[in-house]
Amino acid sequence: MNPAVRHFILTFFPHNVLELGADGAIIMASLAIVFVLTYFKKWKWLWREYLTTVDHKKIGIMYIIAAITMLFRGGSDAILMRSQLAFPNEHFLSANHYDEIFTTHGTVMILFMAMPFVIGLFNVAVPLQIGARDVAFPYLNAISFWLFFVAALLFNLSFVVGGSPNAGWTSYTPLAGAHFDPGPGENYYLIALQITGIGTIATGVNFLVTILKMRAPGMTLMRMPMFTWSVLITSILIIFAFPVLAVDLALLLIDRLFGAHFFTISAGGMPMQWVNLFWIWGHPEVYIVILPLFGVFSEVVATFSRKRLFGYGAMVVSLLAISILSFVVWVHHFFTMGAGVGVNDFFGVSTMLIAVPTGVKMFNWLFTMWRGRVEFAMPMLWALAFIPTFLIGGLSGVMLAVAPADYQYHNSYFLVAHFHYVLVGGTVFGCFAGMYYWWPKMFGVKLDERTGRWAFWTWIVSFNVCFLPMFVVGLMGMTRRMYTYPAGLGWMPYNFVETIGAYGMAIGFVLMVYNIVYSIRKGERDLTGDPWDGRTLEWSTTSPAPEYNFAVTPVVHDRDEWWYQKYVDKSKKEKPVIRPIHMPNNSGRPITLAAGFGLAGFGFVFAWYVPAILGLLIVLICLGARSFELNTDHYIPVDVIERTEAAAGRL
Amino acid sequence: MAYSMEADMEHDHHIDTSKPMEYSTEDGSLKIFGFWVFLGSDLVLFSCLFTMYILLFRNTAGSFTSQQLFDYPTFLSETFLLLTSSFTCGLATYSMRRGMKNATIAWLIVTVLLGLGFIGFEVSEFTKYVSMGATMHTSAFLSAFFTLVGTHGCHVSLGILWLTSIIIQVAMRGLNPVTTRKIFIAGLYWHFLDVAWIFIFTVVYFMGKVL
Amino acid sequence: MASNDTTKHGQHHQEAFPWKHIIGFLLSLVLTFGSLWFVLGSHLPSQAVISAIVILAVFQAMIQLFLFMHLTETFGPNYQQFLIFFAFFIAFTVVAGSIWIMAFKSYVA
């Protein structure tokens, strides 16, 4: 064999049995997908209906499917970690392999699972809730999705070629600098996050403009559904937080590739400044992945209590308060840096203040249920599970906000338990609540209740079995990210229980997938468009909604407009006049542009500048072609709309 | 159900002549507002680079200091070129609003030329420093300097490409709601680069001379 | 698009001579020379010079925003003004907060 090729293979491809097996599985799965698509002649359909689409509903579906896949990927990491820690002194995984796994677990779960899931829900629900035909910039929306998708592929490619990043999802310098971590893994992290971050900023801009400028007539800001409010606030957080991450990632990449000295120890660099910038983004980021779910809970709780949301105004004010406070608390992630009494006091107090608006929201959900006719449907079950779980997570967070005490909790399993209680209990349960709630709107079929309950209870019990003992073992002194631990410290029973819980959650995930597959085949079809007796506009159109969402733009009179139209408005309904509808054209350019980014990113990972420049050229050409493009949109003629509406029994 | 026809018109592709042309379609006003939002995001991006520079500019690692490197004629020329280009870009928008196609194109060309002059000065400045041995590897100060000023330079270069593409489109297609919107947005971008430069010449160059 | 339509559009939005732009340009030149004078001509202590030139820079940025970029011009609610001010607030938080936090070396030392 050519020595250069041999060197390349030995350097960049794994040579331990576990990793090779995983690589094999990835390759087999990819080949299987290609084979199935080819065998059933679905390529053309896939290209026309999904790969080139600019329809927010389809983009939302793709986001959510990708997020569930990534939940599987990040969950597999978790299972490997828990297997290693079930007993003391295990060496099933090597230290480096364990490092890679906790790094990818965190990164995948936050940036490639939670973010796309949340953004998928934005796409599925927001335009429908505000009575719009699509988002403000549908073409840009497609670019956002494909950038995320390509970034996720690039990040997962690290596992096969070159080795995964291994400096933690926070990637602290100087450990993550070129000196201590020379391999390409860290570059994968920096570049994949950069690419998905660009897409996320675009999403933030897109939804901010959509919500502020494209609401149906009559929908004032204070008549917006609570989910739309939460997306509006989240968009503002994205717009102002993500550029900070972009700079942080770019600077570390410049350090690593071009030998600069931002975060090095030598030549005057400041390693702690990486941490500082990371958390200026990172703290708003945790609100970016929780606030939209607060919105989901507000919708779900009101719908399944058959009551108007309690304290709407207070909800809006607390959202605003949380969004501003979330920008001034970031130091609580590194109290132990030793920034001094003044700094730690300020950020400790501001952190505790966030508990106030969050508590307001908790009480509002409880008061919405109070004396309502609560129906325990699947979305409501997830919302009810959220409240106590998030309460434990939130209160342990207030404990962590006490700076002197934090010196004890810092980097222990107590912290790990805390953020899993908020991120799983808040974000993941919220995503599931939203998924069950809007599934009929996405696919025209309800997710089955009976199998859904099996998945639900398995999840809830296993989650607590897995994470509650971590509070204890954390206080006993077990620190996070340790790849193995000695016997005789009394940690083993707790760890063993935690591992049982982790496997239980895996079973819960499998049951949930079964629930979805079962429902697609045998689930109850939703022919009304309004399976839950909903309150907001997305339930006024068919399930799934037609391409143009609403045959005629609705006029809004009330906060719960659809409820108002169903039960309050007794005036005679005039027959709507249908006019041609103006819609954007599909385009293959977003996916091409994202592929260009992917190629450039892959080039930069290995500092191969030919593919890097080639990829950037593709991006530039796509941008230029778009600038000169004339036919960007079309009209749907009246007879097509009438036929579609008639087929749905709406005329 | 209560529906209104006017409501549907609003989402339609019609032209509202009471507004300036770039705002006259829904698409136009959405894109202009969207670009403002992007500028807010870009502002925060620059603020991070400024933070790095302010934190690192004393960390010269015993090598070149700002006092030794910066010279007044270069950065003042850069400043005046960019300030003037912002002015001419404003005049392009002004002519566009008065419907004067040729004047618009002429002012845009002047803007691009001034921008090219700026880039020329900046490239020669950077080359000079590098030839003196003051590169990104030398010290944290120089890493931050090259990155902050270089990021602004990249923005200007991209702006030049963008304005050139718009000039071609205006020449080909005249002033219509699409091209005027493009001119207006590119104008916002160009003025914004001036805002960034104002802080660069204050925080980097002037403060580099004072401290 | 009809190019003869152009004349109808928004002529009444625009004065006959670009006074706003010329005043803005002259002011920005004056402010730049002002900064230059503070750095070279005045013999104030460096802290005072820095405060002065930062204030001048803020004024000059405002000229770009208000006179050239039409920040206040709007057809509907003026969301962009709020957003840009919020962006300046975040930018200030990032810069000032980081300087404050990263002064920690003096505590450690």
Side-chain angles (χ1 to χ4, degrees):
Chain A
M1 198 190 284
N2 183 330
V5 176
R6 192 183 149 78
H7 172 78
F8 176 79
I9 291 175
L10 283 181
T11 318
F12 292 126
F13 288 90
H15 22 268
N16 93 30
V17 180
L18 196 70
E19 289 182 28
L20 279 174
D23 284 1
I26 292 171
I27 292 165
M28 292 307 284
S30 316
L31 286 177
I33 293 170
V34 172
F35 175 75
V36 166
L37 284 169
T38 315
Y39 185 79
F40 291 103
K41 299 197 169 62
K42 288 288 187 190
W43 280 110
K44 210 169 181 179
W45 165 82
L46 190 70
W47 175 258
R48 205 179 49 236
E49 295 292 321
Y50 282 92
L51 302 188
T52 59
T53 190
V54 291
D55 182 341
H56 68 96
K57 300 178 285 293
K58 288 180 179 167
I59 290 175
I61 288 171
M62 291 194 289
Y63 264 121
I64 290 175
I65 292 173
I68 293 174
T69 320
M70 287 293 118
L71 179 62
F72 173 75
R73 199 274 194 230
S76 311
D77 288 341
I79 290 295
L80 288 173
M81 285 190 284
R82 284 313 326 164
S83 305
Q84 169 94 343
L85 294 177
F87 301 103
N89 290 322
E90 258 194 82
H91 289 86
F92 156 63
L93 302 172
S94 69
N96 181 54
H97 196 181
Y98 189 86
D99 291 352
E100 293 187 355
I101 284 176
F102 70 65
T103 303
T104 53
H105 170 74
T107 315
V108 163
M109 286 300 199
I110 299 275
L111 285 138
F112 298 118
M113 190 285 285
M115 287 302 291
F117 215 132
V118 165
I119 293 173
L121 294 176
F122 288 14
N123 273 288
V124 165
V126 168
L128 290 171
Q129 282 200 328
I130 61 173
R133 302 244 182 261
D134 207 316
V135 293
F137 313 118
Y139 177 87
L140 184 66
N141 200 21
I143 293 179
S144 292
F145 171 74
W146 289 111
L147 286 180
F148 146 71
F149 190 83
V150 160
L153 284 185
L154 189 64
F155 188 79
N156 284 296
L157 190 64
S158 70
F159 195 71
V160 187
V161 189
S164 296
N166 57 2
W169 87 277
T170 50
S171 196
Y172 278 5
T173 51
L175 176 63
H179 184 72
F180 295 105
D181 198 349
E186 200 51 37
N187 295 351
Y188 272 114
Y189 166 94
L190 295 169
I191 292 164
L193 262 57
Q194 189 68 273
I195 294 175
T196 188
I198 295 168
T200 308
I201 293 177
T203 301
V205 174
N206 216 333
F207 278 86
L208 184 81
V209 177
T210 307
I211 295 171
L212 286 180
K213 294 278 192 182
M214 291 179 69
R215 299 188 307 277
M219 185 179 278
T220 57
L221 286 177
M222 291 310 270
R223 277 186 196 158
M224 291 197 310
M226 193 44 69
F227 178 66
T228 303
W229 254 115
S230 68
V231 175
L232 175 67
I233 302 295
T234 308
S235 303
I236 295 178
L237 292 183
I238 289 176
I239 289 158
F240 296 124
F242 266 78
V244 183
L245 177 70
V247 170
D248 212 16
L249 296 170
L251 297 184
L252 184 52
L253 193 69
I254 293 172
D255 262 12
R256 291 177 60 87
L257 291 184
F258 307 118
H261 292 285
F262 290 106
F263 306 124
T264 56
I265 302 173
S266 56
M270 259 182 153
M272 283 314 285
Q273 178 59 9
W274 159 272
V275 180
N276 185 46
L277 283 180
F278 186 87
W279 288 113
I280 293 178
W281 160 76
H283 200 82
E285 164 67 9
V286 305
Y287 285 89
I288 291 166
V289 296
I290 192 64
L291 290 185
L293 290 327
F294 285 179
V296 170
F297 294 128
S298 303
E299 301 289 333
V300 167
V301 167
T303 303
F304 293 98
S305 305
R306 300 276 169 277
K307 266 180 72 189
R308 226 177 144 88
L309 183 66
F310 182 89
Y312 179 93
M315 285 293 215
V316 172
V317 171
S318 50
L319 273 178
L320 288 169
I322 290 174
S323 71
I324 291 172
L325 282 173
S326 75
F327 275 107
V328 289
V329 297
W330 73 88
V331 177
H332 69 218
H333 293 272
F334 52 102
F335 277 147
T336 52
M337 178 178 85
V341 178
V343 172
N344 280 3
D345 277 357
F346 175 88
F347 285 94
V349 171
S350 62
T351 305
M352 290 177 210
L353 277 180
I354 287 203
V356 177
T358 315
V360 168
K361 298 183 82 66
M362 282 281 182
F363 281 109
N364 281 340
W365 290 314
L366 293 177
F367 282 126
T368 307
M369 284 182 254
W370 176 253
R371 293 191 169 168
R373 279 181 288 135
V374 179
E375 186 199 330
F376 297 99
M378 281 311 300
M380 188 62 174
L381 282 181
W382 285 109
L384 289 173
F386 149 79
I387 289 179
T389 317
F390 195 80
L391 194 67
I392 296 173
L395 290 180
S396 56
V398 178
M399 288 170 72
L400 286 158
V402 182
D406 184 67
Y407 276 76
Q408 286 302 313
Y409 310 133
H410 187 78
N411 265 0
S412 72
Y413 262 82
F414 186 86
L415 170 81
V416 176
H418 154 70
F419 70 69
H420 282 89
Y421 264 84
V422 285
L423 281 171
V424 179
T427 305
V428 177
F429 289 7
C431 288
F432 289 162
M435 182 178 84
Y436 277 92
Y437 185 58
W438 282 307
W439 192 275
K441 195 45 72 186
M442 286 153 66
F443 297 106
V445 57
K446 272 168 96 164
L447 285 175
D448 182 60
E449 290 276 330
R450 189 179 55 86
T451 45
R453 269 160 213 264
W454 276 103
F456 171 78
W457 286 110
T458 315
W459 258 98
I460 298 299
V461 173
S462 312
F463 168 76
N464 284 291
V465 169
C466 184
F467 289 102
L468 211 51
M470 286 190 191
F471 283 117
V472 183
V473 85
L475 292 179
M476 289 167 82
M478 185 166 172
T479 52
R480 73 196 288 205
R481 291 171 177 161
M482 55 199 312
Y483 86 105
T484 192
Y485 57 93
L489 292 169
W491 296 351
M492 183 264 173
Y494 296 98
N495 275 290
F496 186 70
V497 171
E498 286 160 22
T499 303
I500 293 174
Y503 276 89
M505 285 166 81
I507 295 169
F509 179 80
V510 172
L511 286 173
M512 187 171 258
V513 173
Y514 173 72
N515 175 226
I516 292 172
V517 174
Y518 178 87
S519 310
I520 291 170
R521 293 164 60 90
K522 300 198 176 150
E524 182 191 329
R525 304 285 133 179
D526 169 33
L527 302 172
T528 59
D530 186 14
W532 314 115
D533 196 10
R535 313 180 72 81
T536 42
L537 280 175
E538 73 266 37
W539 306 110
S540 71
T541 184
T542 52
S543 293
E547 185 197 353
Y548 46 80
N549 291 354
F550 301 92
V552 184
T553 302
V555 176
V556 177
H557 311 82
D558 191 84
R559 198 173 287 159
D560 294 330
E561 173 63 19
W562 178 233
W563 190 267
Y564 172 87
Q565 286 180 15
K566 282 190 292 188
Y567 299 114
V568 184
D569 184 19
K570 298 290 179 219
S571 66
K572 201 174 162 308
K573 322 274 204 265
E574 40 192 294
K575 194 176 180 304
V577 183
I578 292 178
R579 316 171 131 270
I581 294 172
H582 181 232
M583 296 300 286
N585 289 348
N586 284 0
S587 172
R589 216 177 293 114
I591 192 172
T592 317
L593 182 143
F597 262 106
L599 181 63
F602 187 72
F604 277 117
V605 167
F606 294 99
W608 296 337
Y609 293 109
V610 175
I613 289 166
L614 197 68
L616 291 178
L617 268 179
I618 293 175
V619 173
L620 213 59
I621 290 167
C622 285
L623 293 176
R626 172 66 175 180
S627 182
F628 279 87
E629 192 177 28
L630 281 176
N631 296 323
T632 55
D633 38 46
H634 64 279
Y635 279 91
I636 304 178
V638 174
D639 59 314
V640 174
I641 302 166
E642 281 179 343
R643 237 178 298 134
T644 315
E645 293 293 298
R650 296 245 158 185
L651 271 183
Chain B
M1 236 172 282
Y3 287 119
S4 100
M5 269 171 60
E6 300 87 85
D8 232 32
M9 287 294 290
E10 224 167 89
H11 287 261
D12 226 328
H13 204 52
H14 82 296
I15 291 168
D16 178 357
T17 46
S18 69
K19 296 172 185 169
M21 200 187 252
E22 67 273 18
Y23 280 100
S24 64
T25 61
E26 196 206 10
D27 187 53
S29 54
L30 285 179
K31 285 190 172 146
I32 291 171
F33 177 55
F35 199 77
W36 273 109
V37 180
F38 165 76
L39 287 184
S41 200
D42 216 19
L43 192 85
V44 175
L45 186 143
F46 271 106
S47 80
C48 297
L49 293 171
F50 275 107
T51 305
M52 290 310 293
Y53 182 81
I54 294 168
L55 288 174
L56 296 177
F57 91 97
R58 286 168 199 273
N59 300 3
T60 52
S63 180
F64 298 95
T65 66
S66 53
Q67 289 278 14
Q68 293 163 344
L69 284 177
F70 304 153
D71 68 307
Y72 285 99
T74 316
F75 76 79
L76 285 178
S77 317
E78 286 165 0
T79 303
F80 287 121
L81 281 171
L82 210 60
L83 283 178
T84 316
S85 81
S86 186
F87 172 59
T88 57
C89 187
L91 290 180
T93 316
Y94 170 84
S95 319
M96 170 197 93
R97 285 226 169 149
R98 289 172 63 81
M100 303 188 298
K101 177 184 158 188
N102 291 336
T104 310
I105 292 178
W107 285 122
L108 285 177
I109 290 174
V110 174
T111 309
V112 166
L113 291 177
L114 290 167
L116 283 171
F118 170 84
I119 291 293
F121 268 97
E122 193 163 296
V123 168
S124 73
E125 185 193 348
F126 280 16
T127 341
K128 192 182 106 196
Y129 295 163
V130 171
S131 66
M132 287 161 70
T135 69
M136 239 183 202
H137 318 269
T138 315
S139 66
F141 153 63
L142 283 165
S143 301
F145 167 79
F146 280 115
T147 307
L148 170 58
V149 181
T151 303
H152 178 268
C154 284
H155 273 73
V156 175
S157 311
L158 205 66
I160 290 171
L161 286 181
W162 190 6
L163 284 177
T164 312
S165 135
I166 291 172
I167 291 168
I168 296 169
Q169 289 178 46
V170 176
M172 277 163 57
R173 297 170 187 165
L175 295 172
N176 60 42
V178 175
T179 50
T180 51
R181 182 251 296 159
K182 284 176 195 271
I183 296 169
F184 190 80
I185 290 178
L188 287 182
Y189 180 75
W190 198 264
H191 296 310
F192 173 77
L193 295 184
D194 222 49
V195 174
W197 182 259
I198 288 163
F199 286 102
I200 289 179
F201 83 67
T202 305
V203 173
V204 176
Y205 290 102
F206 277 148
M207 271 162 66
K209 282 293 178 192
V210 174
L211 287 175
Chain C
M1 275 295 38
S3 54
N4 42 358
D5 206 43
T6 336
T7 38
K8 264 194 293 173
H9 266 291
Q11 276 225 352
H12 35 267
H13 294 283
Q14 204 70 49
E15 63 273 45
F17 190 73
W19 283 117
K20 238 181 166 178
H21 292 94
I22 288 171
I23 292 171
F25 182 53
L26 291 177
L27 274 176
S28 63
L29 290 183
V30 169
L31 290 170
T32 308
F33 280 113
S35 298
L36 189 61
W37 178 81
F38 270 112
V39 174
L40 284 180
S42 80
H43 297 283
L44 294 167
S46 57
Q47 290 302 325
V49 172
I50 286 169
S51 314
I53 60 177
V54 168
I55 290 168
L56 291 185
V58 170
F59 273 110
Q60 213 182 136
M62 273 156 53
I63 289 173
Q64 297 283 332
L65 283 168
F66 289 104
L67 294 181
F68 288 176
M69 290 167 88
H70 311 278
L71 180 62
T72 51
E73 180 185 79
T74 153
F75 306 90
N78 193 339
Y79 297 121
Q80 79 252 23
Q81 203 169 339
F82 163 76
L83 273 161
I84 292 296
F85 287 145
F86 195 66
F88 272 107
F89 162 72
I90 301 289
F92 177 78
T93 309
V94 171
V95 175
S98 298
I99 293 171
W100 186 37
I101 294 158
M102 286 298 140
F104 78 102
K105 282 188 173 163
S106 52
Y107 289 96
V108 179

